[in-house]
Amino acid sequence: MTTPTPSPYAAGAAYIDGRYMPVSQAAIPITDWGYRRSDVTYDVVSVWQGNFFRLDDHIARFRASMNAFRFQPRESDEEIKAILHRCVALAGLRDAYIAMDCLRGRPPAGVPYHPAYARNYITAFAVPWISLLNPEVMARGAHLVVAEAVRIPARSVDPTAKNFHWADLTRGQFEAHDRGADFCVLLAEDGTVTEGPGFNIFVVSDGRIATPSSGVLEGITRRSVIELCGHLGLPIEVRPVSVDELRDADEIFLSTTAGGVMPASRIDGRIMGNDRPGPISSRVQDAFWSRRAEGWHATPVDYAAAET
Ligand code: PLP
């Protein structure tokens, strides 16, 4: 009996500027400004049980981020979608984490050393699904701390355009680590709550839910939670959230593509409820996954794209 040859794409498939390759071979030049200056924008979409979640919404946000940072890659939105289908199909993944980036490139010799003269290009990859929280932390609820580091002001780097200016979030993550917590939460300079490293934040007080209205990425999962609360009849407000509300909340939960709805159980060492995910957070989390299993905002992956 012959053993089937393992697919070179088993660990994931990538696309760089017109070419497909196994993810282990995907590399960009170290001279690229995407790397040297974080001059890059990106988006991340998930595939679960063979379906993309809100693919068009992610592509629309990716295009808006590219426009905000003045990137003009050659690929159209339809072409980017086809690239993502092909990466997932090549990797043969049913549950996947799919990233798409647009990099500045670098101005060629002989033209001004200015970003306007660089040719921008797209990269993408699909790898097995990644969750920010491992199953044990998901079950007990994340431990959060409010960091000393404040979020980069929105007037300097627009947080609604997805970016890798993560020095504030990374500094906050070291603070969280030093204090034995899982994640930091960053405040804006005015003391209101913004977001954390890769997620939006929801506070629950007296049965009412609130999420910050500004200084944040307008998460696709956040939008989904807002819709779900409407379906579930849970009152939700999008408005400034003070740090006191966060610290005194009955419950807190987080939302992200890489994990869905993620309950927290401690804030700055204070135990919320019974040190486990709260009832409203769990209700939203359960509804999120059951709606997705029903095909909510789903686009089936075109697995035949692997053959094209
Ligand atoms: N906020 C930040 C800073 C993020 O990087 C992310 C996702 O990576 C989010 C929020 C959540 O956004 P989404 O739900 O679209 O994944």
Side-chain angles (χ1 to χ4, degrees):
M1 210 174 83
T2 53
T3 341
T5 325
S7 159
Y9 294 107
Y15 167 94
I16 300 183
D17 200 16
R19 289 186 307 117
Y20 292 87
M21 64 213 76
V23 73
S24 60
Q25 292 171 19
I28 58 156
I30 58 171
T31 52
D32 195 297
W33 285 4
Y35 166 64
R36 298 209 67 73
R37 300 183 171 183
S38 292
D39 194 355
V40 50
T41 188
Y42 75 112
D43 216 286
V44 175
V45 60
S46 65
V47 161
W48 189 60
Q49 298 182 346
N51 289 298
F52 281 100
F53 185 57
R54 305 192 82 136
L55 179 59
D56 287 336
D57 294 330
H58 281 280
I59 297 291
R61 185 176 66 180
F62 185 41
R63 183 61 65 181
S65 299
M66 289 193 281
N67 290 340
F69 291 119
R70 302 179 64 165
F71 288 111
Q72 292 181 317
R74 59 185 165 168
E75 292 86 348
S76 67
D77 289 357
E78 285 308 310
E79 286 166 338
I80 296 169
K81 274 192 241 176
I83 291 164
L84 304 186
H85 277 282
R86 180 131 198 245
C87 285
V88 180
L90 283 171
L93 293 166
R94 300 280 304 160
D95 299 325
Y97 172 103
I98 303 103
M100 62 204 96
D101 301 351
C102 184
L103 290 84
R104 184 67 67 196
R106 185 170 182 272
V111 303
Y113 203 56
H114 185 284
Y117 296 93
R119 186 178 71 79
N120 314 147
Y121 65 99
I122 298 273
T123 69
F125 63 83
V127 292
W129 161 257
I130 296 169
S131 174
L132 282 189
L133 295 191
N134 67 38
E136 297 76 52
V137 178
M138 193 73 92
R140 70 141 154 86
H143 296 170
L144 309 175
V145 293
V146 176
E148 287 290 317
V150 294
R151 194 80 175 99
I152 294 171
R155 281 196 302 160
S156 300
V157 177
D158 175 2
T160 67
K162 212 161 154 56
N163 64 77
F164 286 132
H165 297 272
W166 268 49
D168 52 354
L169 295 163
T170 301
R171 186 177 148 193
Q173 273 306 76
F174 275 100
E175 287 186 50
H177 190 255
D178 292 346
R179 293 165 61 188
D182 301 307
F183 291 116
C184 62
V185 172
L186 263 53
L187 305 180
E189 284 174 307
D190 66 1
T192 56
V193 175
T194 65
E195 58 192 341
F199 54 80
N200 292 110
I201 299 171
F202 296 79
V203 296
V204 186
S205 309
D206 299 326
R208 303 185 71 79
I209 306 171
T211 192
S213 47
S214 62
V216 299
L217 179 75
E218 291 171 353
I220 303 290
T221 324
R222 170 181 178 267
R223 188 188 305 177
S224 308
V225 167
I226 294 166
E227 281 178 22
L228 272 181
C229 288
H231 300 157
L232 296 170
L234 294 169
I236 180 153
E237 289 173 340
V238 180
R239 59 165 172 78
V241 172
S242 73
V243 66
D244 291 341
E245 272 184 89
L246 180 78
R247 290 206 172 106
D248 296 341
D250 300 327
E251 297 180 34
I252 300 173
F253 61 90
L254 319 172
S255 71
T256 180
T257 295
V261 176
M262 308 185 301
S265 54
R266 296 189 190 183
I267 175 75
D268 279 343
R270 181 178 73 83
I271 292 173
M272 290 175 282
N274 60 1
D275 208 10
R276 285 288 174 275
I280 292 181
S281 309
S282 298
R283 209 173 142 204
V284 176
Q285 185 183 34
D286 293 347
F288 179 79
W289 290 109
S290 53
R291 291 301 302 270
R292 281 189 68 171
E294 289 162 7
W296 187 44
H297 295 303
T299 303
V301 174
D302 174 14
Y303 287 99
E307 314 307 326
T308 53

